[in-house]
Amino acid sequence: PGARAAVDQAQAEASAARQRDAQLAEELSLAEAAVTAAGLALTERTGQADATEKVVASVAREVYQGSGFTPLTILVEAESAGDYADMVAFAAVARRSQNQALSRLRVQQVDIRNAEARLTAERERVEELKRLAAEQVLTTEAAEDAARDAQAALQTLVTAEDEAVAQFAAAKAAEEADIAALEAEGDRLEAQLAAIAEAERQAELERQRVAAAEAEAERQRVAEAERQRQAEIARQRAEAAANNRPVPPPPPPVRAAPRPPAAPAPPASDGFLLRPSDGRISSQFGYRIHPITGVRKLHTGTDFAAPCGSPIRAAADGRIVSAGWGGGYGNFTVISHGNVG
């Protein structure tokens, strides 16, 4: 999200820079057009002033040089009073015309100065806009570079994230496959141990049946022997009475054969199992959350972590069920301690 925000900000700044660049270009174009217009206006006003100066010079030359319209010359040259009045009036008109031309010339000179000042200001404006446009070009390029860099950084993050997700998915799939293999091996071991327990149970039942049959046979043998002994006693007594002899001592009673000692009972469930290794307990028996799959499952054992080469011991007396390679369990030894408790 931070990288995407940086990309959005950089792209917004680049867009604003491009807009400012276009705005400055438009302002520069207008300013250059204003310079051109101011130059044309200055040329036009200069031409008008030149024409007015020519008029003023012409009038002055005619009044003061060509016609000699001075008060003294008018008086000397006038041939009559009417001629004098006409010449005075003509001189007044010439002076007014000259004065108007001079006034117009002064106005035109002021317009020229204003046009020159405007042209200078427009040229300075053009130079300032050119400077700003040059700076804006650098700003725009920097903003676009920043936007590209931000986009590249975002793409790098996205690529890294995709790779991490793919690696995690592969690790998760491998872990799930290992779990499935371990569960299958565990099921096989559980079935094997159950079969062993059932075989032991059936063997015990058979032993008990055989022992019962042997006990019954022994009982019958003892009963038959006792019957025969009683019959022998009766015969001896009858024979002694018939021969008028004393009765002999009776034969000893028949005893049952001694039974073999019973097998020792399995130990009670009182925590008799010893530690099979000196290593630390790395995982207890019970439910837990798998660190990769996130699934809550029963961990059907107690794990001991120890350095390579550490000896392992039988936790109690028992019978080795299997020893060697066991798939996901690696090299391991399975010992059946029988049914406890």
Side-chain angles (χ1 to χ4, degrees), residues 169-191:
K172 182 178 179 181
E175 187 71 15
E176 289 175 344
D178 291 342
I179 291 174
L182 289 173
E183 290 178 344
E185 183 68 16
D187 293 341
R188 187 190 69 79
L189 284 174
E190 185 176 354

Side-chain angles (χ1 to χ4, degrees), residues 1-36:
R4 291 190 177 92
V7 169
D8 293 340
Q9 181 179 357
Q11 290 178 345
E13 291 177 355
S15 177
R18 286 190 290 269
Q19 291 178 358
R20 177 59 177 162
D21 195 3
Q23 179 183 359
L24 287 175
E26 183 178 358
E27 292 181 2
L28 180 60
S29 177
L30 293 176
E32 289 176 343
V35 167
T36 302

Side-chain angles (χ1 to χ4, degrees), residues 49-299:
D50 291 342
T52 304
E53 286 182 353
K54 291 179 181 179
V55 171
V56 171
S58 175
V59 171
R61 187 169 51 253
E62 291 178 357
V63 171
Y64 293 104
Q65 296 178 4
S67 302
F69 285 158
T70 64
L72 182 58
T73 55
I74 292 174
L75 181 61
V76 172
E77 293 179 1
E79 297 179 354
S80 63
D83 191 16
Y84 176 78
D86 291 337
M87 293 177 67
V88 169
F90 182 78
V93 171
R95 282 194 298 272
R96 282 196 303 273
S97 176
Q98 185 182 23
N99 290 335
Q100 290 175 355
L102 289 173
S103 297
R104 185 166 61 255
L105 180 59
R106 284 193 294 270
V107 172
Q108 291 172 345
Q109 289 174 344
V110 171
D111 289 342
I112 289 173
R113 287 193 296 271
N114 290 337
E116 289 175 346
R118 181 175 180 81
L119 178 60
T120 301
E122 294 295 343
R123 285 174 177 170
E124 291 176 352
R125 172 65 175 164
V126 168
E127 294 301 322
E128 176 66 13
L129 287 174
K130 286 181 179 180
R131 184 186 65 80
L132 293 176
E135 293 178 353
Q136 187 60 39
V137 168
L138 298 178
T139 301
T140 302
E141 291 177 351
E144 291 176 345
D145 290 341
R148 283 191 295 270
D149 292 342
Q151 185 65 40
L154 175 61
Q155 187 59 44
T156 300
L157 285 177
V158 170
T159 301
E161 184 179 18
D162 292 342
E163 291 176 354
V165 169
Q167 292 174 359
F168 180 81
K172 182 178 179 181
E175 187 71 15
E176 289 175 344
D178 291 342
I179 291 174
L182 289 173
E183 290 178 344
E185 183 68 16
D187 293 341
R188 187 190 69 79
L189 284 174
E190 185 176 354
Q192 183 178 0
L193 293 175
I196 292 174
E198 178 63 19
E200 291 176 349
R201 189 181 72 84
Q202 293 296 334
E204 177 63 20
L205 292 175
E206 179 63 18
R207 186 192 65 79
Q208 293 176 2
R209 186 189 65 77
V210 170
E214 290 176 349
E216 178 62 21
E218 179 65 15
R219 186 188 64 78
Q220 292 178 2
R221 185 190 69 79
V222 170
E224 179 62 22
E226 180 63 22
R227 186 185 63 77
Q228 292 178 1
R229 189 179 74 86
Q230 293 297 331
E232 180 63 21
I233 292 173
R235 186 190 66 76
Q236 289 178 358
R237 287 178 178 177
E239 184 178 353
N243 297 324
N244 196 20
R245 288 185 301 182
V247 179
V254 179
R255 302 291 182 181
R259 298 181 63 184
S269 177
D270 56 358
F272 73 96
L273 291 176
L274 303 177
R275 290 173 66 97
S277 171
D278 294 333
R280 64 180 177 85
I281 295 179
S282 58
S283 183
Q284 292 281 6
F285 176 90
Y287 281 93
R288 67 179 183 179
I289 302 298
H290 194 279
I292 294 180
T293 62
V295 178
R296 182 176 183 268
K297 300 190 72 173
L298 176 64
H299 181 238

